[in-house]
Amino acid sequence: FSCFGEREKEKTLAIIKPDGVYNDKIKSIIINYGFSITSEMKVQLDEVSVGSFYAEHSSKSFFHSLVGYMVSSGLVVVMILEKDNVVLIDVS
């Protein structure tokens, strides 16, 4: 809540994988679901960053190939998204 009693919008992190970096359709979908993109940047991730972000999958068979792909395939777009009740949204 803000100091004026209004509920602040929640924020979440999104990463567009290297094969989607130059696909504007992904950002359009994000916006069409009512999210605001409050900041974004293109970055080259390292193994530590990728491993931390995907840590919940570390015991799965695809984990090491995912980390390798994210590190060696080029830039990713990292975005901060904002929306009311962002944690409760089901986009499936």
Side-chain angles (χ1 to χ4, degrees), residues 11 43 46 54 57 60 67 70:
K11 294 180 180 175
V43 296
D46 59 35
Y54 289 109
H57 302 297
K60 305 222 171 100
V67 171
M70 294 293 285

Side-chain angles (χ1 to χ4, degrees), residues 45-59:
L45 296 177
D46 59 35
E47 283 189 40
V48 173
S49 300
V50 175
S52 295
F53 185 74
Y54 289 109
E56 67 187 74
H57 302 297
S58 62
S59 64

Side-chain angles (χ1 to χ4, degrees), residues 19 24 26 40 51-54 61 64 71-72 74 76 78 89 92:
D19 57 345
D24 290 332
I26 295 171
E40 71 176 271
S52 295
F53 185 74
Y54 289 109
S61 62
H64 293 291
V71 170
S72 65
V76 298
V78 177
I89 301 300
S92 55

